[in-house]
Amino acid sequence: MENIETTQPTQQAKSIITVNENQGLVAKDNSELLRMIQVMMKGQAFPKSLDTEAKVIAAWQVAASLKIPPAVAIQNLAIVNGSICMWGQLPKALAEATGELEEFKLVVIDEKQDPICLENKNLNAPVWGAVCVIKRKGRDRNEYAFTVEDMKRANLDKKQGPWKDYTKIMLMRRAMGTAIKFEFPDAVMGVPIAEYDFHQAPDIKEVGPTQSKAEMLKKAFAV
């Protein structure tokens, strides 16, 4: 992978990319991998921060180290502050992939520390914080929380963006990120979690493509 050059594809690079038994694309060599990446980039299949071949290849390497299909993992990877990091549900997916996640519960709570839910008839209650309950096989059950007060101490409430506009989601992701970081460090392989390490949510900040699907497909395969 380190020998890949981000140049225009040669005639050899335009060879047919194979499909495996699970209908996944498989590149036979570095040239075909580059060709596949270029096709996906033209179809806007990657997060917006991965806007060059070099960035995609770097993220692809990180995705491969996580031991799940890179084309899948890369959808939840982004470059934040110069670092490749994961976001959203990927941290939990990696924990589940170990087969050792015995218990997982993620809730938002009110000032009485009751879960905000229909059963408690408090759906309109102001959010006080979020709690992630987690248990890994062979370990104690633990709880990790991140509250509105924690958010204020970090001055996150004063910044424009997801913490101000989607406070509940960010509190939940921060609590989950903390839990996965502490309980499954081997699963995330030291890759930063955007909501934990950088207080950001790449998916919330990004705006989807304005092109129609037909236009995107036409552009993708015109290589």
Side-chain angles (χ1 to χ4, degrees):
M1 291 291 296
E2 61 274 9
N3 295 324
I4 292 180
E5 296 182 2
T6 57
T7 58
Q8 291 298 318
T10 62
Q11 188 65 32
Q12 180 182 2
K14 291 190 177 184
S15 56
I16 297 175
I17 298 170
T18 60
V19 179
N20 63 19
E21 64 275 9
N22 296 319
Q23 298 301 302
L25 298 178
V26 179
K28 293 181 179 179
D29 54 33
N30 287 346
S31 294
E32 286 194 357
L33 177 59
L34 180 56
R35 158 74 169 169
M36 185 165 67
I37 287 173
Q38 290 171 334
V39 169
M40 290 181 176
M41 286 188 70
K42 285 199 171 186
Q44 301 183 9
F46 299 130
K48 284 191 174 182
S49 65
L50 305 179
D51 56 0
T52 68
E53 293 169 6
K55 290 179 181 179
V56 172
I57 291 170
W60 199 280
Q61 286 281 60
V62 171
S65 73
L66 297 174
K67 300 179 181 179
I68 58 178
V72 175
I74 209 168
Q75 299 304 317
N76 283 88
L77 294 178
I79 295 180
V80 179
N81 295 344
S83 297
I84 297 174
C85 60
M86 65 180 74
W87 52 268
Q89 293 299 311
L90 182 55
K92 182 173 181 285
L94 293 172
E96 290 177 338
T98 66
E100 297 184 3
L101 182 60
E102 293 187 337
E103 182 181 352
F104 182 91
K105 185 177 182 181
L106 183 61
V107 297
V108 287
I109 56 178
D110 60 20
E111 62 181 355
K112 297 180 181 178
Q113 299 188 11
D114 292 327
I116 296 178
C117 61
L118 185 62
E119 181 180 358
N120 289 336
K121 298 181 179 180
N122 61 349
L123 293 178
N124 293 322
V127 176
W128 188 82
V131 180
C132 183
V133 180
I134 191 169
K135 184 183 185 307
R136 182 168 184 170
K137 184 177 180 181
R139 299 186 183 180
D140 293 334
R141 176 179 179 272
N142 289 309
E143 298 177 355
Y144 296 87
F146 198 74
T147 68
V148 170
E149 188 60 34
D150 293 328
M151 179 183 71
K152 291 179 179 178
R153 276 198 293 267
N155 292 321
L156 297 174
D157 61 314
K158 297 178 182 178
K159 296 181 179 180
Q160 294 297 323
W163 282 96
K164 197 176 193 67
D165 300 330
Y166 301 93
T167 304
K168 184 185 297 185
I169 292 175
M170 294 305 293
L171 288 171
M172 294 175 72
R173 288 192 184 182
R174 176 56 191 265
M176 179 178 69
T178 305
I180 301 299
K181 277 267 191 179
F182 279 88
E183 300 295 332
F184 289 89
D186 53 321
V188 298
M189 298 290 289
V191 178
I193 297 176
E195 296 89 347
Y196 176 91
D197 293 281
F198 302 116
H199 309 299
Q200 294 192 25
D203 59 324
I204 294 177
K205 290 179 65 177
E206 290 186 358
V207 178
T210 57
Q211 290 178 299
S212 68
K213 290 183 179 180
E215 291 173 328
M216 291 170 62
L217 288 172
K218 183 178 180 180
K219 183 179 178 181
F221 289 97
V223 178

